[in-house]
Amino acid sequence: MNLSRLNSRFVRILMLSFMGLALIACSPKPSFKNVDITGSKAFGNDFSLLDPDGKVRTLSDFKGKAVVIFFGYTQCPDVCPTTLTEMQQVMTLLGPQADKVQVLFITVDPDRDTAAILKQYVPAFDKRFLGLRPADQAALEKVAKDFMIYYKQVPGTSAGSYTIDHTAGSYAFDPEGRLRLYIKHAQGPEILAQDLKELLK
């Protein structure tokens, strides 16, 4: 092959490569206020939990929506109702886009949080919110390990009056089912609404 033609072809390929890199570099990166954990694959990949009707739910059931997952329990005196109230306010701020967001409340207290209780408690904050529960203790331990969340029973004055210390943050997935954000507790609905709008773009 003619050397000048070879050099010319190489230069064209090189220029096209630089143009491609320039386009990638100019692509706007989402400006999240919460902790960006995009690309994390060591945890939070999926779950297999029961909804209040006894149906097994996995992350793929909610593909096409941004998913916010929060771990708690219905008898929680402060963190859980505060988080669910904040998410209710987020949904209001999102307006029509709220229908593209699924909030999942996963109980760390399946002994007391029966299907009937979850069915009543969680949608009381927003009818679109869904409560999920592990089928047994082994399933609870698995989902807690998979999402790297902490929970521990703290004894009360009687056998059934215990409280549970637990992780207060939440996770957010994009509509493709990819883990994207760790959401800090009690930062205000405006910040979270802004981040979810970024995920929905």
Side-chain angles (χ1 to χ4, degrees), residues 15 34 36 52 54-55 59 74 78 86 113 127 131 134 155 188:
M15 287 178 65
N34 283 280
D36 188 344
K55 182 180 178 182
L59 187 59
T74 63
D78 42 36
E86 184 174 82
D113 288 344
K127 64 181 181 181

Side-chain angles (χ1 to χ4, degrees), residues 102-119:
Q102 179 62 63
V103 175
L104 300 176
F105 176 89
I106 299 175
T107 182
V108 293
D109 188 17
D111 289 340
R112 294 185 299 188
D113 288 344
T114 63
I117 288 173
L118 286 177
K119 193 168 190 173

Side-chain angles (χ1 to χ4, degrees), residues 42-50 57-59 69-72 104-110 132-151 167 171 173:
F43 67 101
N45 295 308
D46 205 353
F47 55 80
S48 181
L49 300 164
L50 300 174
R57 296 298 196 114
T58 64
L59 187 59
I69 291 180
F70 173 69
F71 291 82
L104 300 176
F105 176 89
I106 299 175
T107 182
V108 293
D109 188 17
L132 299 175
R133 61 191 305 273
D136 51 34
Q137 186 63 31
L140 172 57
E141 291 172 4
K142 183 179 187 309
V143 73
K145 182 180 179 181
D146 289 348
F147 281 84
M148 298 178 67
I149 65 109
Y150 170 83
Y151 71 98
T167 300
Y171 291 107
F173 294 77

Side-chain angles (χ1 to χ4, degrees), residues 89-98 101 192-194 196-197 200:
Q89 294 167 348
V90 168
M91 298 295 266
T92 299
L93 290 172
L94 288 173
Q97 285 186 295
V101 175
L192 182 49
Q194 181 181 332
L196 289 177
K197 286 178 180 178
L200 291 170

